[in-house]
Amino acid sequence: MSMLSARSLDAGHMKGNPVVRGIDLDVAAGEIVALLGPNGAGKTTLLETMAGLLPRLGGELSVDGTAVASADPRSAVRSGLVLVPDDRALFRKLSTEQNLKLAVRADAGRPLFGGRRRRSEAAARVAEIVDWFPSLGRRARVPAGQLSGGEQQMLAIGRALLQRPKVLLIDELSMGLAPVIVESILQVLRRVADADGTAIVLVEQHVRLALEVADRAVVLVHGDIALESGASELAADPARLERAYLGGSVAEGSDLARN
């Protein structure tokens, strides 16, 4: 069974005028799906709709077999779906440590840091996240607003991982970051998917780097899925990806769903 399942999902900012149309998407536990496509394709709209920040204009969404209500972020979080938005949504005046301590457990809906046992669990989880992102430990007392762009992204992802999501959505992971930083973060996400079985959907403009860690790629063009393929196959045939971006035809036998 898919960990994340979308069926005939329509998304947009105005009823009757969907930006994203009829999306069918399944993501298995431990699978990383790179959501690719040109600017304006509807990638952010799709993620925000799945996270409940925008109402669904049609279709259904479920996490681990449980339906997720439309336009209800709490329902999404309770189901185990967590979004890291493109602006990272950090509390800039609070320290790295304080940002992490504000995380909540999605499954219990209670503060992560509460009660002796839960504090112990929390400390172990924070230690695990600092192991993944060592610079967060070194910068624990530094206000989030004073962190580098890469450290802020690590903090945003670390805070999301404290919730032990079943599904992690990451929008524009590489925005403003050097490729070497992007590569290191992507490697951590690969470890998280493999170790915890987290299903991950990430929007990434560094296509080559995304395909190196992803299991599968979905290309969104003008609100439709233009191409869906194994990441390694697509990395070996960049011309196919280019044709999908440009809306051109592809070779017979390809996975092109819509043109």
Side-chain angles (χ1 to χ4, degrees), residues 40-255:
K43 304 183 295 295
T44 294
T45 298
L46 178 58
L47 293 194
E48 290 182 346
T49 299
M50 290 194 291
L53 300 179
L54 292 174
R56 291 199 297 272
L57 303 184
E60 300 176 346
L61 182 73
S62 64
V63 172
D64 199 14
T66 299
V68 178
S70 173
D72 187 348
R74 290 187 178 182
S75 174
V77 171
R78 284 195 301 268
S79 75
L81 187 152
V82 178
L83 169 67
V84 178
D86 57 4
D87 65 1
R88 297 161 191 159
L90 299 174
F91 295 95
R92 297 177 63 83
K93 294 184 179 180
L94 299 184
S95 69
T96 296
E97 183 179 39
Q98 289 169 327
N99 268 273
L100 291 174
K101 286 185 176 181
L102 286 173
V104 294
R105 283 291 297 273
D107 55 351
R110 294 174 296 174
L112 181 61
F113 293 75
R116 182 176 299 175
R117 181 176 178 181
R118 292 179 65 77
R119 285 197 299 270
S120 177
E121 293 173 352
R125 184 61 169 168
V126 169
E128 185 178 20
I129 288 169
V130 170
D131 181 57
W132 288 334
F133 300 118
S135 64
L136 296 184
R138 294 190 295 269
R139 307 274 277 170
R141 303 297 177 87
V142 176
Q146 295 180 20
L147 299 176
S148 69
E151 289 167 342
Q152 288 183 6
Q153 186 64 285
M154 293 174 194
L155 177 56
I157 293 172
R159 193 176 60 180
L161 292 176
L162 273 174
Q163 301 178 48
R164 293 193 178 274
K166 295 179 179 179
V167 178
L168 180 63
L169 310 179
I170 306 176
D171 194 14
E172 297 290 359
L173 184 150
S174 66
M175 184 177 292
L177 305 184
V180 66
I181 299 298
V182 177
E183 186 172 15
S184 68
I185 293 175
L186 288 173
Q187 291 300 325
V188 169
L189 293 177
R190 181 72 268 174
R191 289 168 58 193
V192 168
D194 293 340
D196 293 351
T198 307
I200 298 175
V201 179
L202 60 92
V203 171
E204 179 50 59
Q205 295 300 330
H206 284 285
V207 174
R208 178 185 61 81
L209 295 179
L211 294 179
E212 287 179 358
V213 301
D215 300 289
R216 192 157 44 94
V218 173
V219 181
L220 199 63
V221 178
H222 300 309
D224 296 309
I225 293 179
L227 177 66
E228 185 172 353
S229 174
S232 59
E233 290 84 352
L234 200 54
D237 189 3
R240 184 176 171 211
L241 179 62
E242 182 179 357
R243 290 194 294 271
Y245 266 67
L246 297 175
S249 62
V250 297
E252 183 179 354
S254 74
D255 294 323

